[in-house]
Amino acid sequence: MTSGHHPRDAMRRLRALPGLQAVTSYRREWLLKDVIAGIVLTTLLVPQGMAYAELAGLPPISGLYTSILCMLGYAVFGPSRILVLGPDSSLGPMIAATILPLAASNGDPQRAVALGSMLAIMVAVVMILAAVGKLGFVADLLSKPTVIGYMNGLALTILIGQLPKLLGFKVEASGLVEECVGLVEELSAGSLVPAAAAVGIGGIVVILVLQRLLPKIPAVLVMVVLAIAATSVFGLGSHGVSLVGTLPQGFPPLTLPDIRLDDLAPLAGGALGIALVSLADTISNASAFAARSGQQVRGNQEMAGIGAANLAAGLFQGFPVSTSGSRTAVAERAGAKTQLTGVVGALLITLMLILLPGLFRDLPQPALAAVVITASLSLVDVGGTVRLWRQSRVEFLLCITAFLGVALLGVLPGIALAVALSVLNVFRRAWWPYETVLGRVPGLGGYHDIRSYPHAERLPGLVIYRFDAPLFFANAKTFRDEILRLARTDPAPTWIVIAAEPITDVDTTAADVLEDLDETLNAEHIHLVFAELKDPVRRKIERYELTRTIDTRHFFPTLEAAVTAFRDQTGARWTAAPPSPPDIR
C-alpha cells in the first residue's frame, strides 16, 4: 500500500543531496572562476597529497587516489560550497600510529594500503552514524587549550619524524624520544647526505620565503618545480638523494580492503580518534569560511559529507581525510564559488595519472619532507600558548599536559589524553565552582559580589550566598560545608538566602544533602531560603519531597522579594560591611 510512496520519497531524498542542489542553482558566471581555482588548487594537492601519504606511512600514489575520491565524495554530500578535503598533516601521524604497528616494520606496502583503506571506511562509518545521531556536539570535547597543546605536540612530532628524510637517511624508532636519539646517532655516524639536506632545507626556505613575501604565488609548486629541475641539472639521484619515481598509471580500481579479523579492534580505536580530530577541524574551518560567505554551518550534514569523502577514499585505496584550512584558503583566494573547484582538481589529478604518470618521477623525497615540515609549522600556536600563560595558569597547564602527552606518549594516546583533560576541566569547574556572598552597593541596582565590592552593605542576620553551578553528587558536600561555615560565623545569621539563579539542576544526592542541611540549620534556628530558583529545578525539589523540611514560604521569585520579607519580619537595616565578613573560598 505504501510502496507507491517509495519512489517519490527516494526522489525527494535525492534532490536534497547538496551536490544536486548545487547543480540546480549553479550560475554560468561561476564556471570560469571554479575552473581556474581548480587548476590552482591542483598545484597544491599533488605535492601535498604525496607528502602526507608518506607521513601516514603509505606510498605517495595513495595520497593522489585519496585526493581524487574524497573531493568527489564531498562534492556530492558535503554542504559547504568551498571547503576542500584531502590528506591532512594533522591526521598523518595518527594514521601511521594506527596502521604501522599492524603492518610491521618493512612489511608489505599493499597490507599498509589495505589497513589505511579500512581505517578510512571505519572513520566514514563513525561519521555517518554520528550524523544520523546528530552528535556534532562531540567536537566540543576538545577545548581550545588542549587543542593548542595537542597541535603543538603534533607539530614537534611531525618535525622530528621528517628530519631524517629531509637529511637523506632513515631512523628506525618509535616515539619522539627514540627518534631524537636515533637522529643524533645517525648524524654522529655521518649518515647525512649533503645533497639531500641541501634540497630539503632549501625547499623549506623557498616555501617559507614565498609564503611570506608573495602569498599569492603557489609556493609549494614553485619549490617542487625547482627541486625537479635540480634533479635533472645536478643528477641528484646519483648523489644519494631518494626520488619519488614513476607513479602507477591510471585511475585507482574499486578495492575492498583485505585485512585480518584481529586488525579491526586496533583500527577502531584509531578511527574514533581520527574522526574526533577531523570533525573538530572541519567544524572550525566550516565556521570560519561560512562566516565570510554568509553561509550557515550544518554540523550534522558536515559529518555526513566527511563520512562520504572517507568512504569514497577507502573504497579506492585511499586513507582518512579531513578539511584543510590552507587549501580551502587557496581555493577561496583563487575565486572558487562551489565544489566544482574540487571536482576540477580531481579530474586534473586523474588526467595526470593516466597521461603523465612519470611527471614527478624526479621529485626528491627531501622535497616532500620539506612540504610536510612547513605544513607542520602552521600547526604551532606559540601566541595562543603565551596568551594562556598570561590569562589562565590552569588552562596553560592543560595545554602543556596535552603537548607532553602527544610528544611523550604518542599521537593516539595524546588525543585520548586531550579529550580526558577537556572533560576533567569541565568537571573541575562544576566540582569547585565560584561561590561568594552578595551585598548591596549604594548607587548600583541589585546585589553584588563582596569580593568586587568589599564595602558592600549587609543586613544583620541575613547572608546572601551564590553558588555558580548545578548541585550534583560531586559538589553537594562543598555547598553544604560552605553553608554550615556561614551559619557558624559570629554573629550567626537567622536567614541564609541562596541566590539560586545559577543552580540549573539538583540531583538526588544533592537533594539528600539539602534535606540533612536544612534539618541541621533548623536545629540551630537558622532558615535556609531560596530566591530565583528556576521552575524546572523547583519542580525537582518538590518531586524529591524536600518541601517536607524546607518551608514552602522560603521560596522567593527574586532576591529583592526575599530581602524585603526578611526586613519586614525583623526590621533589619542596611549597615556597612561587618568587621569580620564571611570568608568565601
Side-chain angles (χ1 to χ4, degrees):
M1 267 282 213
T2 57
S3 60
H5 297 288
H6 289 173
R8 270 191 302 229
D9 291 343
M11 286 301 295
R12 197 179 302 117
R13 291 193 191 98
L14 198 60
R15 283 195 296 269
L17 287 176
L20 288 181
Q21 289 180 345
V23 170
T24 56
S25 61
Y26 197 82
R27 299 180 189 173
R28 187 179 300 174
E29 62 266 25
W30 291 346
L31 181 60
L32 183 60
K33 293 180 179 179
D34 278 339
V35 170
I36 292 173
I39 294 170
V40 172
L41 185 62
T42 305
T43 64
L44 188 63
L45 289 170
V46 173
Q48 282 194 346
M50 292 191 292
Y52 296 161
E54 295 213 328
L55 178 62
L58 296 164
I61 186 63
S62 61
L64 300 184
Y65 292 164
T66 302
S67 299
I68 294 170
L69 273 304
C70 76
M71 288 191 294
L72 293 177
Y74 189 82
V76 177
F77 293 94
S80 173
R81 286 182 185 171
I82 64 166
L83 273 189
V84 178
L85 269 69
D88 189 65
S89 57
S90 62
L91 297 190
M94 299 180 74
I95 297 168
T98 304
I99 66 173
L100 292 186
L102 301 176
S105 59
N106 300 318
D108 181 6
Q110 288 305 312
R111 173 159 163 73
V113 169
L115 290 166
S117 297
M118 180 53 75
L119 188 60
I121 292 171
M122 294 176 82
V123 170
V125 171
V126 172
M127 285 292 189
I128 292 169
L129 289 176
V132 172
K134 303 187 184 306
L135 300 178
F137 65 88
V138 297
D140 299 333
L141 289 177
L142 287 170
S143 67
K144 186 69 178 289
T146 52
V147 168
I148 291 173
Y150 174 78
M151 288 300 179
N152 288 344
L154 198 60
L156 180 63
T157 301
I158 293 171
L159 176 65
I160 298 299
Q162 290 294 305
L163 279 178
K165 187 195 292 186
L166 189 85
L167 302 176
F169 55 85
K170 290 184 178 180
V171 171
E172 295 294 338
S174 61
L176 186 68
V177 175
E178 286 186 24
E179 286 180 344
C180 288
V181 171
L183 180 64
V184 172
E185 289 176 348
E186 291 293 336
L187 289 173
S188 301
S191 299
L192 182 144
V193 178
V199 170
I201 296 171
I204 292 174
V205 172
V206 167
I207 292 174
L208 294 180
V209 169
L210 287 178
Q211 285 178 342
R212 183 67 181 271
L213 300 180
L214 300 168
K216 292 188 176 180
I217 290 179
V220 171
L221 177 64
V222 171
M223 186 276 291
V224 166
V225 171
L226 290 175
I228 293 173
T231 300
S232 302
V233 173
F234 301 108
L236 296 179
S238 60
H239 289 81
V241 179
S242 298
L243 305 176
V244 169
T246 302
L247 299 172
Q249 188 172 20
F251 191 80
L254 174 65
T255 309
L256 293 176
D258 182 18
I259 64 166
R260 296 195 290 259
L261 194 60
D262 56 0
D263 293 329
L264 292 177
L267 286 176
L272 288 172
I274 290 168
L276 181 59
V277 171
S278 179
L279 176 60
D281 204 24
T282 297
I283 296 298
S284 63
N285 282 321
S287 301
F289 287 98
R292 297 186 209 174
S293 61
Q295 281 188 283
Q296 285 188 332
V297 177
R298 291 173 281 173
N300 294 312
Q301 202 161 7
E302 284 293 355
M303 285 191 289
I306 304 168
N310 277 285
L311 181 61
L315 292 174
F316 289 86
Q317 301 182 31
F319 52 86
V321 297
S322 179
T323 54
S324 167
S326 61
R327 290 192 289 271
T328 304
V330 167
E332 185 186 50
R333 284 199 302 267
K337 296 296 180 185
T338 70
Q339 285 297 327
L340 182 60
T341 296
V343 174
V344 170
L347 291 176
L348 288 176
I349 297 172
T350 302
L351 287 174
M352 186 202 77
L353 290 177
I354 293 172
L355 303 177
L356 299 167
L359 185 62
F360 291 93
R361 67 174 176 271
D362 291 333
L363 178 60
Q365 291 281 2
L368 292 181
V371 172
V372 173
I373 287 173
T374 52
S376 73
L377 295 178
S378 68
L379 301 177
V380 178
D381 189 354
V382 175
T385 308
V386 172
R387 189 165 60 252
L388 287 174
W389 168 258
R390 291 175 180 162
Q391 295 176 350
S392 172
R393 296 298 167 85
V394 171
E395 295 198 335
F396 173 78
L397 287 175
L398 288 174
C399 173
I400 295 301
T401 306
F403 168 79
L404 293 174
V406 176
L408 301 179
L409 302 178
V411 288
L412 290 176
I415 187 63
L417 180 62
V419 172
L421 287 174
S422 296
V423 173
L424 284 174
N425 191 35
V426 173
F427 191 68
R428 177 190 66 84
R429 291 173 184 275
W431 195 346
W432 295 302
Y434 187 78
E435 49 186 337
T436 189
V437 165
L438 306 179
R440 190 181 77 160
V441 180
L444 283 179
Y447 299 91
H448 302 277
D449 189 342
I450 63 168
R451 287 202 189 93
S452 301
Y453 300 93
H455 301 297
E457 295 176 342
R458 260 51 76 73
L459 281 173
L462 175 74
V463 172
I464 305 174
Y465 170 68
R466 193 181 73 208
F467 187 80
D468 291 352
L471 267 175
F472 68 115
F473 65 92
N475 64 22
K477 291 182 175 58
T478 301
F479 176 87
R480 178 200 62 192
D481 292 347
E482 191 56 38
I483 294 291
L484 290 175
R485 194 189 65 76
L486 291 170
R488 284 156 191 168
T489 53
D490 187 22
T494 54
W495 277 29
I496 297 179
V497 177
I498 310 300
E501 196 272 337
I503 299 177
T504 55
D505 193 19
V506 176
D507 73 0
T508 54
T509 303
D512 291 341
V513 170
L514 279 177
E515 185 173 16
D516 292 342
L517 175 63
D518 190 58
E519 289 176 349
T520 301
L521 293 176
N522 286 341
E524 299 176 15
H525 307 291
I526 299 173
H527 299 295
L528 189 61
V529 178
F530 290 86
E532 300 182 344
L533 196 65
K534 297 179 186 301
D535 287 343
V537 181
R538 171 74 182 267
R539 286 194 290 270
K540 275 195 171 184
I541 284 179
E542 290 170 351
R543 191 163 66 246
Y544 297 151
E545 299 182 348
L546 285 180
T547 49
R548 288 179 307 164
T549 57
I550 301 176
D551 193 335
T552 54
R553 292 173 298 175
H554 288 161
F555 289 94
F556 293 92
T558 65
L559 277 174
E560 191 61 52
V563 170
T564 300
F566 177 78
R567 294 186 69 192
D568 289 345
Q569 182 176 315
T570 64
R573 296 185 178 183
W574 292 102
T575 63
S580 302
D583 178 35
I584 299 293
R585 288 179 290 107

